[in-house]
Amino acid sequence: MKKITVLFSLLLLCSCFNAERNCKDFRTGTYEFESFINGELVTSRFIRNDSIEIEKFQGKTDTSSVRWINDCEYILRNTNPAGMAEEKPIHIKILTTTKDGYTFEYGQVGSSKKAKGKVKKVSN
């Protein structure tokens, strides 16, 4: 009986910690994404409306189409790829949200290799 009580308590505790996901709040707006490239912290800024994302990074601008799969997942496809690597679409899944941004998982469509990142919303 004691084991059942402990198990029930653990299940109840775990259900209280569901990650918040208000993904619709992040379909449009201006965002910043920080990452380390060759040991250096760099910032990318992008503007997204419902179907287009424009990214500015190190003086270059890229445009991608956005196709929403559901409220928290979308596919990015570069509209003017510079090479074969940029031709492959990227699947993005929002994992958690806060009032200021979200954490996400991303990778090329069809690849099992995934990475995680965090985006900060700069403006609506």
Side-chain angles (χ1 to χ4, degrees), residues 33-96:
F33 173 62
E34 293 182 336
S35 61
F36 283 95
I37 298 178
N38 299 323
E40 182 182 346
L41 181 64
V42 294
T43 302
S44 170
R45 184 177 272 235
F46 60 94
I47 299 167
R48 181 172 54 232
N49 69 28
D50 197 48
S51 61
I52 297 289
E53 185 171 294
I54 300 168
E55 178 183 18
K56 295 183 185 217
F57 178 67
Q58 295 182 333
K60 296 180 183 177
T61 302
D62 279 326
T63 302
S64 298
S65 64
V66 177
R67 182 176 57 87
W68 289 90
I69 298 169
N70 58 46
D71 287 343
C72 295
E73 295 180 67
Y74 61 96
I75 304 291
L76 281 179
R77 183 178 298 270
N78 194 314
T79 57
N80 298 303
M84 290 190 64
E86 290 185 7
E87 287 182 11
K88 295 187 178 191
I90 304 294
H91 176 250
I92 297 177
K93 180 178 182 179
I94 298 173
L95 302 173
T96 62

Side-chain angles (χ1 to χ4, degrees), residues 96-109:
T96 62
T97 63
T98 65
K99 66 181 180 92
D100 299 326
Y102 59 89
T103 58
F104 64 102
E105 176 181 82
Y106 65 100
Q108 289 182 338
V109 171

